[in-house]
mmCIF file of all heavy atoms in Angstrom:
data_model
loop_
_atom_site.group_PDB
_atom_site.id
_atom_site.type_symbol
_atom_site.label_atom_id
_atom_site.label_comp_id
_atom_site.label_asym_id
_atom_site.label_seq_id
_atom_site.Cartn_x
_atom_site.Cartn_y
_atom_site.Cartn_z
ATOM 1 N N MET A 1 126.979 99.782 111.334
ATOM 2 C CA MET A 1 125.896 98.913 110.872
ATOM 3 C C MET A 1 124.602 99.231 111.613
ATOM 4 O O MET A 1 123.540 99.310 111.006
ATOM 5 C CB MET A 1 126.306 97.457 111.111
ATOM 6 C CG MET A 1 125.362 96.431 110.508
ATOM 7 S SD MET A 1 125.349 96.533 108.713
ATOM 8 C CE MET A 1 123.942 95.519 108.335
ATOM 9 N N LEU A 2 124.708 99.422 112.921
ATOM 10 C CA LEU A 2 123.515 99.747 113.710
ATOM 11 C C LEU A 2 122.943 101.097 113.296
ATOM 12 O O LEU A 2 121.734 101.285 113.246
ATOM 13 C CB LEU A 2 123.881 99.754 115.196
ATOM 14 C CG LEU A 2 122.717 99.751 116.184
ATOM 15 C CD1 LEU A 2 121.878 98.484 115.995
ATOM 16 C CD2 LEU A 2 123.241 99.840 117.603
ATOM 17 N N PHE A 3 123.836 102.031 112.958
ATOM 18 C CA PHE A 3 123.398 103.348 112.485
ATOM 19 C C PHE A 3 122.576 103.224 111.204
ATOM 20 O O PHE A 3 121.547 103.867 111.045
ATOM 21 C CB PHE A 3 124.626 104.235 112.258
ATOM 22 C CG PHE A 3 124.306 105.517 111.535
ATOM 23 C CD1 PHE A 3 123.607 106.523 112.172
ATOM 24 C CD2 PHE A 3 124.693 105.705 110.219
ATOM 25 C CE1 PHE A 3 123.307 107.695 111.506
ATOM 26 C CE2 PHE A 3 124.399 106.877 109.551
ATOM 27 C CZ PHE A 3 123.707 107.877 110.202
ATOM 28 N N TRP A 4 123.036 102.372 110.278
ATOM 29 C CA TRP A 4 122.312 102.199 109.018
ATOM 30 C C TRP A 4 120.971 101.531 109.231
ATOM 31 O O TRP A 4 119.977 101.888 108.582
ATOM 32 C CB TRP A 4 123.150 101.400 108.026
ATOM 33 C CG TRP A 4 124.248 102.229 107.452
ATOM 34 C CD1 TRP A 4 125.560 102.153 107.757
ATOM 35 C CD2 TRP A 4 124.111 103.293 106.498
ATOM 36 N NE1 TRP A 4 126.263 103.101 107.044
ATOM 37 C CE2 TRP A 4 125.403 103.812 106.268
ATOM 38 C CE3 TRP A 4 123.022 103.850 105.826
ATOM 39 C CZ2 TRP A 4 125.631 104.857 105.384
ATOM 40 C CZ3 TRP A 4 123.261 104.887 104.941
ATOM 41 C CH2 TRP A 4 124.544 105.386 104.729
ATOM 42 N N LEU A 5 120.918 100.531 110.137
ATOM 43 C CA LEU A 5 119.645 99.876 110.422
ATOM 44 C C LEU A 5 118.669 100.855 111.049
ATOM 45 O O LEU A 5 117.483 100.871 110.702
ATOM 46 C CB LEU A 5 119.865 98.678 111.360
ATOM 47 C CG LEU A 5 120.455 97.443 110.683
ATOM 48 C CD1 LEU A 5 120.763 96.384 111.724
ATOM 49 C CD2 LEU A 5 119.502 96.889 109.641
ATOM 50 N N ASP A 6 119.149 101.702 111.948
ATOM 51 C CA ASP A 6 118.277 102.709 112.559
ATOM 52 C C ASP A 6 117.819 103.722 111.521
ATOM 53 O O ASP A 6 116.680 104.165 111.526
ATOM 54 C CB ASP A 6 119.020 103.404 113.698
ATOM 55 C CG ASP A 6 118.112 104.377 114.437
ATOM 56 O OD1 ASP A 6 117.005 103.955 114.818
ATOM 57 O OD2 ASP A 6 118.508 105.539 114.603
ATOM 58 N N LEU A 7 118.717 104.069 110.602
ATOM 59 C CA LEU A 7 118.375 105.038 109.563
ATOM 60 C C LEU A 7 117.339 104.465 108.599
ATOM 61 O O LEU A 7 116.439 105.166 108.151
ATOM 62 C CB LEU A 7 119.649 105.428 108.809
ATOM 63 C CG LEU A 7 119.598 106.698 107.964
ATOM 64 C CD1 LEU A 7 119.408 107.903 108.860
ATOM 65 C CD2 LEU A 7 120.883 106.840 107.179
ATOM 66 N N MET A 8 117.474 103.179 108.278
ATOM 67 C CA MET A 8 116.565 102.560 107.312
ATOM 68 C C MET A 8 115.199 102.268 107.915
ATOM 69 O O MET A 8 114.178 102.559 107.315
ATOM 70 C CB MET A 8 117.170 101.250 106.787
ATOM 71 C CG MET A 8 118.294 101.446 105.810
ATOM 72 S SD MET A 8 118.755 99.933 104.985
ATOM 73 C CE MET A 8 119.506 99.019 106.295
ATOM 74 N N PHE A 9 115.182 101.657 109.116
ATOM 75 C CA PHE A 9 113.923 101.165 109.663
ATOM 76 C C PHE A 9 113.420 101.984 110.846
ATOM 77 O O PHE A 9 112.361 101.712 111.374
ATOM 78 C CB PHE A 9 114.082 99.698 110.082
ATOM 79 C CG PHE A 9 114.544 98.822 108.945
ATOM 80 C CD1 PHE A 9 115.810 98.274 108.961
ATOM 81 C CD2 PHE A 9 113.710 98.568 107.873
ATOM 82 C CE1 PHE A 9 116.239 97.468 107.920
ATOM 83 C CE2 PHE A 9 114.135 97.771 106.824
ATOM 84 C CZ PHE A 9 115.396 97.219 106.850
ATOM 85 N N GLY A 10 114.180 102.988 111.266
ATOM 86 C CA GLY A 10 113.776 103.785 112.417
ATOM 87 C C GLY A 10 112.736 104.827 112.070
ATOM 88 O O GLY A 10 111.926 105.203 112.903
ATOM 89 N N ASN A 11 112.760 105.301 110.830
ATOM 90 C CA ASN A 11 111.797 106.328 110.429
ATOM 91 C C ASN A 11 111.168 105.940 109.089
ATOM 92 O O ASN A 11 111.756 105.197 108.308
ATOM 93 C CB ASN A 11 112.483 107.701 110.337
ATOM 94 C CG ASN A 11 113.735 107.665 109.498
ATOM 95 O OD1 ASN A 11 114.108 106.613 108.997
ATOM 96 N ND2 ASN A 11 114.370 108.808 109.323
ATOM 97 N N PRO A 12 109.958 106.418 108.824
ATOM 98 C CA PRO A 12 109.260 106.022 107.579
ATOM 99 C C PRO A 12 109.954 106.521 106.319
ATOM 100 O O PRO A 12 109.841 105.893 105.265
ATOM 101 C CB PRO A 12 107.877 106.635 107.721
ATOM 102 C CG PRO A 12 107.987 107.651 108.794
ATOM 103 C CD PRO A 12 109.111 107.228 109.683
ATOM 104 N N ILE A 13 110.664 107.648 106.402
ATOM 105 C CA ILE A 13 111.319 108.185 105.204
ATOM 106 C C ILE A 13 112.446 107.262 104.756
ATOM 107 O O ILE A 13 112.618 106.996 103.561
ATOM 108 C CB ILE A 13 111.831 109.609 105.489
ATOM 109 C CG1 ILE A 13 110.640 110.526 105.783
ATOM 110 C CG2 ILE A 13 112.621 110.146 104.294
ATOM 111 C CD1 ILE A 13 111.015 111.825 106.420
ATOM 112 N N GLY A 14 113.225 106.742 105.697
ATOM 113 C CA GLY A 14 114.289 105.812 105.358
ATOM 114 C C GLY A 14 113.745 104.534 104.770
ATOM 115 O O GLY A 14 114.271 103.994 103.801
ATOM 116 N N LEU A 15 112.646 104.033 105.363
ATOM 117 C CA LEU A 15 112.028 102.815 104.853
ATOM 118 C C LEU A 15 111.496 103.037 103.444
ATOM 119 O O LEU A 15 111.662 102.194 102.563
ATOM 120 C CB LEU A 15 110.902 102.393 105.801
ATOM 121 C CG LEU A 15 110.283 101.022 105.544
ATOM 122 C CD1 LEU A 15 111.329 99.935 105.698
ATOM 123 C CD2 LEU A 15 109.139 100.779 106.500
ATOM 124 N N LEU A 16 110.869 104.181 103.210
ATOM 125 C CA LEU A 16 110.331 104.498 101.887
ATOM 126 C C LEU A 16 111.452 104.593 100.856
ATOM 127 O O LEU A 16 111.309 104.094 99.736
ATOM 128 C CB LEU A 16 109.566 105.820 101.956
ATOM 129 C CG LEU A 16 108.703 106.149 100.741
ATOM 130 C CD1 LEU A 16 107.556 105.155 100.632
ATOM 131 C CD2 LEU A 16 108.150 107.560 100.867
ATOM 132 N N SER A 17 112.575 105.199 101.235
ATOM 133 C CA SER A 17 113.687 105.308 100.290
ATOM 134 C C SER A 17 114.274 103.941 99.974
ATOM 135 O O SER A 17 114.644 103.672 98.833
ATOM 136 C CB SER A 17 114.764 106.250 100.836
ATOM 137 O OG SER A 17 115.373 105.680 101.968
ATOM 138 N N MET A 18 114.332 103.037 100.969
ATOM 139 C CA MET A 18 114.830 101.687 100.704
ATOM 140 C C MET A 18 113.878 100.943 99.768
ATOM 141 O O MET A 18 114.316 100.229 98.868
ATOM 142 C CB MET A 18 114.997 100.911 102.012
ATOM 143 C CG MET A 18 116.142 101.407 102.860
ATOM 144 S SD MET A 18 117.711 101.466 102.002
ATOM 145 C CE MET A 18 118.016 99.735 101.774
ATOM 146 N N ILE A 19 112.557 101.126 99.955
ATOM 147 C CA ILE A 19 111.588 100.485 99.063
ATOM 148 C C ILE A 19 111.776 101.002 97.637
ATOM 149 O O ILE A 19 111.763 100.226 96.681
ATOM 150 C CB ILE A 19 110.155 100.736 99.580
ATOM 151 C CG1 ILE A 19 109.923 99.944 100.869
ATOM 152 C CG2 ILE A 19 109.121 100.362 98.526
ATOM 153 C CD1 ILE A 19 108.657 100.315 101.592
ATOM 154 N N VAL A 20 111.979 102.303 97.492
ATOM 155 C CA VAL A 20 112.186 102.901 96.165
ATOM 156 C C VAL A 20 113.448 102.344 95.518
ATOM 157 O O VAL A 20 113.448 101.987 94.336
ATOM 158 C CB VAL A 20 112.244 104.441 96.283
ATOM 159 C CG1 VAL A 20 112.747 105.063 94.986
ATOM 160 C CG2 VAL A 20 110.870 104.992 96.619
ATOM 161 N N ILE A 21 114.529 102.229 96.295
ATOM 162 C CA ILE A 21 115.790 101.723 95.753
ATOM 163 C C ILE A 21 115.633 100.273 95.295
ATOM 164 O O ILE A 21 116.057 99.899 94.201
ATOM 165 C CB ILE A 21 116.907 101.863 96.802
ATOM 166 C CG1 ILE A 21 117.279 103.340 96.966
ATOM 167 C CG2 ILE A 21 118.139 101.059 96.407
ATOM 168 C CD1 ILE A 21 118.128 103.609 98.177
ATOM 169 N N PHE A 22 114.982 99.428 96.132
ATOM 170 C CA PHE A 22 114.826 98.026 95.760
ATOM 171 C C PHE A 22 113.894 97.864 94.564
ATOM 172 O O PHE A 22 114.129 97.023 93.696
ATOM 173 C CB PHE A 22 114.326 97.205 96.952
ATOM 174 C CG PHE A 22 115.407 96.924 97.955
ATOM 175 C CD1 PHE A 22 115.218 97.207 99.296
ATOM 176 C CD2 PHE A 22 116.616 96.381 97.555
ATOM 177 C CE1 PHE A 22 116.212 96.950 100.229
ATOM 178 C CE2 PHE A 22 117.623 96.123 98.469
ATOM 179 C CZ PHE A 22 117.420 96.413 99.813
ATOM 180 N N CYS A 23 112.840 98.672 94.489
ATOM 181 C CA CYS A 23 111.949 98.618 93.324
ATOM 182 C C CYS A 23 112.694 99.029 92.059
ATOM 183 O O CYS A 23 112.502 98.419 91.003
ATOM 184 C CB CYS A 23 110.739 99.514 93.541
ATOM 185 S SG CYS A 23 109.543 98.820 94.697
ATOM 186 N N THR A 24 113.528 100.044 92.157
ATOM 187 C CA THR A 24 114.305 100.489 91.000
ATOM 188 C C THR A 24 115.256 99.390 90.532
ATOM 189 O O THR A 24 115.359 99.120 89.328
ATOM 190 C CB THR A 24 115.098 101.751 91.356
ATOM 191 O OG1 THR A 24 114.193 102.741 91.846
ATOM 192 C CG2 THR A 24 115.825 102.283 90.138
ATOM 193 N N ILE A 25 115.933 98.739 91.479
ATOM 194 C CA ILE A 25 116.842 97.650 91.115
ATOM 195 C C ILE A 25 116.065 96.509 90.459
ATOM 196 O O ILE A 25 116.504 95.927 89.462
ATOM 197 C CB ILE A 25 117.616 97.172 92.370
ATOM 198 C CG1 ILE A 25 118.606 98.249 92.805
ATOM 199 C CG2 ILE A 25 118.350 95.865 92.090
ATOM 200 C CD1 ILE A 25 119.224 97.982 94.156
ATOM 201 N N GLY A 26 114.888 96.190 90.996
ATOM 202 C CA GLY A 26 114.069 95.122 90.428
ATOM 203 C C GLY A 26 113.613 95.442 89.014
ATOM 204 O O GLY A 26 113.693 94.596 88.122
ATOM 205 N N ILE A 27 113.153 96.664 88.797
ATOM 206 C CA ILE A 27 112.684 97.063 87.466
ATOM 207 C C ILE A 27 113.841 97.055 86.466
ATOM 208 O O ILE A 27 113.689 96.575 85.335
ATOM 209 C CB ILE A 27 112.016 98.447 87.543
ATOM 210 C CG1 ILE A 27 110.694 98.343 88.299
ATOM 211 C CG2 ILE A 27 111.781 99.015 86.145
ATOM 212 C CD1 ILE A 27 110.104 99.682 88.682
ATOM 213 N N MET A 28 114.998 97.565 86.880
ATOM 214 C CA MET A 28 116.155 97.595 85.980
ATOM 215 C C MET A 28 116.617 96.187 85.618
ATOM 216 O O MET A 28 116.936 95.918 84.464
ATOM 217 C CB MET A 28 117.303 98.373 86.623
ATOM 218 C CG MET A 28 117.082 99.868 86.651
ATOM 219 S SD MET A 28 116.877 100.613 85.039
ATOM 220 C CE MET A 28 118.515 100.343 84.378
ATOM 221 N N SER A 29 116.634 95.277 86.600
ATOM 222 C CA SER A 29 117.068 93.914 86.290
ATOM 223 C C SER A 29 116.047 93.213 85.397
ATOM 224 O O SER A 29 116.426 92.441 84.516
ATOM 225 C CB SER A 29 117.294 93.126 87.582
ATOM 226 O OG SER A 29 116.109 93.079 88.342
ATOM 227 N N TYR A 30 114.761 93.500 85.579
ATOM 228 C CA TYR A 30 113.732 92.924 84.712
ATOM 229 C C TYR A 30 113.896 93.427 83.279
ATOM 230 O O TYR A 30 113.809 92.643 82.322
ATOM 231 C CB TYR A 30 112.355 93.278 85.259
ATOM 232 C CG TYR A 30 111.223 92.826 84.374
ATOM 233 C CD1 TYR A 30 110.937 91.474 84.224
ATOM 234 C CD2 TYR A 30 110.452 93.750 83.681
ATOM 235 C CE1 TYR A 30 109.904 91.050 83.408
ATOM 236 C CE2 TYR A 30 109.422 93.342 82.871
ATOM 237 C CZ TYR A 30 109.143 91.984 82.733
ATOM 238 O OH TYR A 30 108.123 91.581 81.916
ATOM 239 N N LEU A 31 114.139 94.721 83.124
ATOM 240 C CA LEU A 31 114.339 95.270 81.781
ATOM 241 C C LEU A 31 115.594 94.699 81.124
ATOM 242 O O LEU A 31 115.589 94.404 79.921
ATOM 243 C CB LEU A 31 114.432 96.794 81.852
ATOM 244 C CG LEU A 31 113.116 97.515 82.131
ATOM 245 C CD1 LEU A 31 113.361 98.993 82.318
ATOM 246 C CD2 LEU A 31 112.112 97.274 81.028
ATOM 247 N N MET A 32 116.667 94.540 81.898
ATOM 248 C CA MET A 32 117.889 93.938 81.352
ATOM 249 C C MET A 32 117.631 92.503 80.917
ATOM 250 O O MET A 32 118.091 92.074 79.863
ATOM 251 C CB MET A 32 119.003 93.973 82.400
ATOM 252 C CG MET A 32 119.577 95.348 82.633
ATOM 253 S SD MET A 32 120.490 96.001 81.235
ATOM 254 C CE MET A 32 121.905 94.916 81.268
ATOM 255 N N TRP A 33 116.888 91.748 81.724
ATOM 256 C CA TRP A 33 116.566 90.364 81.377
ATOM 257 C C TRP A 33 115.731 90.311 80.097
ATOM 258 O O TRP A 33 115.977 89.488 79.221
ATOM 259 C CB TRP A 33 115.815 89.707 82.530
ATOM 260 C CG TRP A 33 115.437 88.291 82.258
ATOM 261 C CD1 TRP A 33 116.261 87.215 82.306
ATOM 262 C CD2 TRP A 33 114.151 87.810 81.875
ATOM 263 N NE1 TRP A 33 115.554 86.082 81.977
ATOM 264 C CE2 TRP A 33 114.256 86.411 81.697
ATOM 265 C CE3 TRP A 33 112.912 88.420 81.653
ATOM 266 C CZ2 TRP A 33 113.180 85.627 81.322
ATOM 267 C CZ3 TRP A 33 111.844 87.637 81.280
ATOM 268 C CH2 TRP A 33 111.980 86.258 81.116
ATOM 269 N N MET A 34 114.738 91.206 79.967
ATOM 270 C CA MET A 34 113.934 91.246 78.750
ATOM 271 C C MET A 34 114.797 91.579 77.540
ATOM 272 O O MET A 34 114.641 91.000 76.472
ATOM 273 C CB MET A 34 112.825 92.302 78.879
ATOM 274 C CG MET A 34 111.538 91.730 79.416
ATOM 275 S SD MET A 34 110.234 92.957 79.555
ATOM 276 C CE MET A 34 110.254 93.713 77.956
ATOM 277 N N PHE A 35 115.720 92.542 77.701
ATOM 278 C CA PHE A 35 116.595 92.929 76.602
ATOM 279 C C PHE A 35 117.486 91.770 76.179
ATOM 280 O O PHE A 35 117.668 91.512 74.988
ATOM 281 C CB PHE A 35 117.441 94.125 77.033
ATOM 282 C CG PHE A 35 118.362 94.629 75.960
ATOM 283 C CD1 PHE A 35 117.850 95.316 74.873
ATOM 284 C CD2 PHE A 35 119.720 94.412 76.051
ATOM 285 C CE1 PHE A 35 118.700 95.786 73.880
ATOM 286 C CE2 PHE A 35 120.573 94.868 75.063
ATOM 287 C CZ PHE A 35 120.054 95.560 73.977
ATOM 288 N N ILE A 36 118.008 91.032 77.151
ATOM 289 C CA ILE A 36 118.862 89.873 76.835
ATOM 290 C C ILE A 36 118.044 88.792 76.131
ATOM 291 O O ILE A 36 118.506 88.187 75.169
ATOM 292 C CB ILE A 36 119.524 89.350 78.135
ATOM 293 C CG1 ILE A 36 120.560 90.352 78.618
ATOM 294 C CG2 ILE A 36 120.165 87.988 77.916
ATOM 295 C CD1 ILE A 36 121.060 90.097 80.034
ATOM 296 N N GLN A 37 116.816 88.572 76.587
ATOM 297 C CA GLN A 37 115.972 87.563 75.954
ATOM 298 C C GLN A 37 115.642 87.963 74.514
ATOM 299 O O GLN A 37 115.616 87.108 73.628
ATOM 300 C CB GLN A 37 114.667 87.413 76.740
ATOM 301 C CG GLN A 37 114.850 86.749 78.095
ATOM 302 C CD GLN A 37 115.276 85.312 78.010
ATOM 303 O OE1 GLN A 37 114.805 84.578 77.154
ATOM 304 N NE2 GLN A 37 116.189 84.921 78.877
ATOM 305 N N LYS A 38 115.372 89.244 74.261
ATOM 306 C CA LYS A 38 115.027 89.689 72.923
ATOM 307 C C LYS A 38 116.230 89.650 71.984
ATOM 308 O O LYS A 38 116.067 89.417 70.788
ATOM 309 C CB LYS A 38 114.480 91.123 72.961
ATOM 310 C CG LYS A 38 113.163 91.249 73.677
ATOM 311 C CD LYS A 38 112.028 90.757 72.827
ATOM 312 C CE LYS A 38 110.697 90.988 73.524
ATOM 313 N NZ LYS A 38 109.595 90.351 72.813
ATOM 314 N N SER A 39 117.415 89.901 72.489
ATOM 315 C CA SER A 39 118.582 89.977 71.614
ATOM 316 C C SER A 39 119.227 88.621 71.352
ATOM 317 O O SER A 39 120.199 88.547 70.615
ATOM 318 C CB SER A 39 119.616 90.937 72.216
ATOM 319 O OG SER A 39 120.032 90.454 73.475
ATOM 320 N N LYS A 40 118.691 87.579 71.960
ATOM 321 C CA LYS A 40 119.223 86.237 71.657
ATOM 322 C C LYS A 40 118.861 85.831 70.229
ATOM 323 O O LYS A 40 117.741 86.093 69.794
ATOM 324 C CB LYS A 40 118.606 85.214 72.603
ATOM 325 C CG LYS A 40 119.353 85.051 73.908
ATOM 326 C CD LYS A 40 118.746 83.914 74.708
ATOM 327 C CE LYS A 40 119.344 83.825 76.083
ATOM 328 N NZ LYS A 40 118.641 82.829 76.880
ATOM 329 N N PRO A 41 119.784 85.234 69.529
ATOM 330 C CA PRO A 41 119.415 84.728 68.190
ATOM 331 C C PRO A 41 118.452 83.544 68.318
ATOM 332 O O PRO A 41 118.591 82.718 69.207
ATOM 333 C CB PRO A 41 120.759 84.292 67.590
ATOM 334 C CG PRO A 41 121.652 84.094 68.757
ATOM 335 C CD PRO A 41 121.183 85.018 69.849
ATOM 336 N N GLU A 42 117.515 83.506 67.427
ATOM 337 C CA GLU A 42 116.501 82.457 67.468
ATOM 338 C C GLU A 42 117.108 81.105 67.083
ATOM 339 O O GLU A 42 117.834 81.010 66.124
ATOM 340 C CB GLU A 42 115.363 82.782 66.500
ATOM 341 C CG GLU A 42 114.612 84.024 66.917
ATOM 342 C CD GLU A 42 113.879 83.837 68.241
ATOM 343 O OE1 GLU A 42 113.402 82.701 68.515
ATOM 344 O OE2 GLU A 42 113.787 84.799 68.982
#
């Protein structure tokens, strides 16, 4: 666990990759939510 924390927050590249991963998850969940909202019957 300590190794992962050092890898993520110890250097800027790890932090940048974590930001990219979280942004990707956020965008994908937003698109899924929009798709579910659109496919609901009125």
Side-chain angles (χ1 to χ4, degrees):
M1 188 65 192
L2 194 61
F3 169 72
W4 285 105
L5 284 174
D6 185 50
L7 197 65
M8 285 191 290
F9 303 111
N11 51 359
I13 296 165
L15 189 62
L16 192 66
S17 67
M18 289 306 292
I19 290 169
V20 168
I21 288 167
F22 284 128
C23 285
T24 305
I25 290 170
I27 290 168
M28 287 300 294
S29 59
Y30 175 69
L31 287 174
M32 287 292 291
W33 180 77
M34 268 180 50
F35 181 72
I36 290 168
Q37 290 294 321
K38 294 283 184 188
S39 61
K40 273 186 187 174
E42 295 295 326

